[in-house]
CSV table of all heavy atoms in Angstrom, one decimal:
chain,number,residue,atom,x,y,z
A,312,ALA,N,6.5,-21.3,10.3
A,312,ALA,CA,7.4,-20.2,9.9
A,312,ALA,C,7.2,-19.0,10.7
A,312,ALA,O,8.0,-18.0,10.7
A,312,ALA,CB,7.1,-19.9,8.4
A,313,LEU,N,6.1,-18.9,11.6
A,313,LEU,CA,5.8,-17.8,12.4
A,313,LEU,C,5.7,-18.3,13.9
A,313,LEU,O,5.2,-19.4,14.1
A,313,LEU,CB,4.6,-17.1,12.0
A,313,LEU,CG,4.5,-16.2,10.8
A,313,LEU,CD1,3.2,-15.5,10.7
A,313,LEU,CD2,5.7,-15.2,10.8
A,314,ARG,N,5.9,-17.4,14.8
A,314,ARG,CA,5.6,-17.7,16.2
A,314,ARG,C,4.2,-18.1,16.4
A,314,ARG,O,3.3,-17.5,15.7
A,314,ARG,CB,5.9,-16.5,17.1
A,314,ARG,CG,7.4,-16.1,17.1
A,314,ARG,CD,7.6,-14.7,17.7
A,314,ARG,NE,6.7,-14.5,18.9
A,314,ARG,CZ,7.1,-13.7,19.9
A,314,ARG,NH1,8.2,-13.1,19.9
A,314,ARG,NH2,6.3,-13.6,20.9
A,315,ALA,N,3.9,-18.9,17.3
A,315,ALA,CA,2.5,-19.4,17.5
A,315,ALA,C,1.6,-18.3,18.0
A,315,ALA,O,0.4,-18.3,17.8
A,315,ALA,CB,2.5,-20.6,18.5
A,316,ASP,N,2.2,-17.2,18.6
A,316,ASP,CA,1.4,-16.2,19.2
A,316,ASP,C,1.2,-14.9,18.3
A,316,ASP,O,0.7,-13.9,18.7
A,316,ASP,CB,1.9,-15.8,20.6
A,316,ASP,CG,3.4,-15.4,20.5
A,316,ASP,OD1,4.0,-15.5,19.4
A,316,ASP,OD2,3.9,-14.9,21.6
A,317,VAL,N,1.7,-15.0,17.1
A,317,VAL,CA,1.6,-13.9,16.1
A,317,VAL,C,0.2,-14.0,15.4
A,317,VAL,O,-0.1,-15.1,14.9
A,317,VAL,CB,2.7,-13.8,15.1
A,317,VAL,CG1,2.5,-12.9,14.0
A,317,VAL,CG2,4.0,-13.5,15.9
A,318,THR,N,-0.5,-13.0,15.3
A,318,THR,CA,-1.8,-13.0,14.6
A,318,THR,C,-1.8,-12.2,13.3
A,318,THR,O,-0.9,-11.4,13.1
A,318,THR,CB,-2.9,-12.4,15.5
A,318,THR,OG1,-2.7,-11.0,15.7
A,318,THR,CG2,-2.9,-13.0,16.9
A,319,GLY,N,-2.8,-12.4,12.5
A,319,GLY,CA,-2.9,-11.6,11.3
A,319,GLY,C,-3.0,-10.1,11.6
A,319,GLY,O,-2.5,-9.3,10.9
A,320,THR,N,-3.7,-9.8,12.7
A,320,THR,CA,-3.9,-8.4,13.1
A,320,THR,C,-2.5,-7.8,13.5
A,320,THR,O,-2.2,-6.6,13.1
A,320,THR,CB,-4.8,-8.2,14.3
A,320,THR,OG1,-6.1,-8.7,13.8
A,320,THR,CG2,-5.0,-6.8,14.7
A,321,ASP,N,-1.7,-8.6,14.2
A,321,ASP,CA,-0.3,-8.1,14.5
A,321,ASP,C,0.4,-7.7,13.2
A,321,ASP,O,1.0,-6.6,13.1
A,321,ASP,CB,0.5,-9.2,15.2
A,321,ASP,CG,0.1,-9.5,16.6
A,321,ASP,OD1,-0.4,-8.6,17.3
A,321,ASP,OD2,0.2,-10.7,17.0
A,322,VAL,N,0.3,-8.6,12.2
A,322,VAL,CA,1.1,-8.3,11.0
A,322,VAL,C,0.5,-7.1,10.2
A,322,VAL,O,1.2,-6.3,9.7
A,322,VAL,CB,1.1,-9.6,10.1
A,322,VAL,CG1,1.7,-9.3,8.7
A,322,VAL,CG2,1.9,-10.7,10.8
A,323,ILE,N,-0.8,-7.0,10.2
A,323,ILE,CA,-1.5,-5.8,9.5
A,323,ILE,C,-1.0,-4.5,10.2
A,323,ILE,O,-0.6,-3.6,9.5
A,323,ILE,CB,-3.0,-5.9,9.6
A,323,ILE,CG1,-3.5,-7.1,8.7
A,323,ILE,CG2,-3.7,-4.6,9.2
A,323,ILE,CD1,-4.9,-7.5,9.0
A,324,LEU,N,-0.9,-4.5,11.5
A,324,LEU,CA,-0.5,-3.3,12.2
A,324,LEU,C,1.0,-3.0,12.0
A,324,LEU,O,1.5,-1.9,12.1
A,324,LEU,CB,-0.8,-3.4,13.7
A,324,LEU,CG,-2.2,-3.4,14.1
A,324,LEU,CD1,-2.4,-3.7,15.6
A,324,LEU,CD2,-2.9,-2.1,13.7
A,325,LEU,N,1.8,-4.1,11.7
A,325,LEU,CA,3.2,-3.9,11.5
A,325,LEU,C,3.6,-3.6,10.1
A,325,LEU,O,4.8,-3.2,9.8
A,325,LEU,CB,4.0,-5.2,12.0
A,325,LEU,CG,4.1,-5.4,13.5
A,325,LEU,CD1,4.6,-6.9,13.7
A,325,LEU,CD2,5.0,-4.4,14.1
A,326,MET,N,2.7,-3.6,9.2
A,326,MET,CA,3.0,-3.5,7.8
A,326,MET,C,3.7,-2.1,7.4
A,326,MET,O,4.5,-2.1,6.6
A,326,MET,CB,1.7,-3.6,6.9
A,326,MET,CG,1.3,-5.1,6.7
A,326,MET,SD,-0.3,-5.3,5.9
A,326,MET,CE,-0.1,-4.3,4.4
Side-chain angles (χ1 to χ4, degrees):
L313 287 188
R314 295 167 43 149
D316 55 354
V317 170
T318 69
T320 300
D321 290 328
V322 172
I323 290 165
L324 293 174
L325 287 169
M326 280 170 59

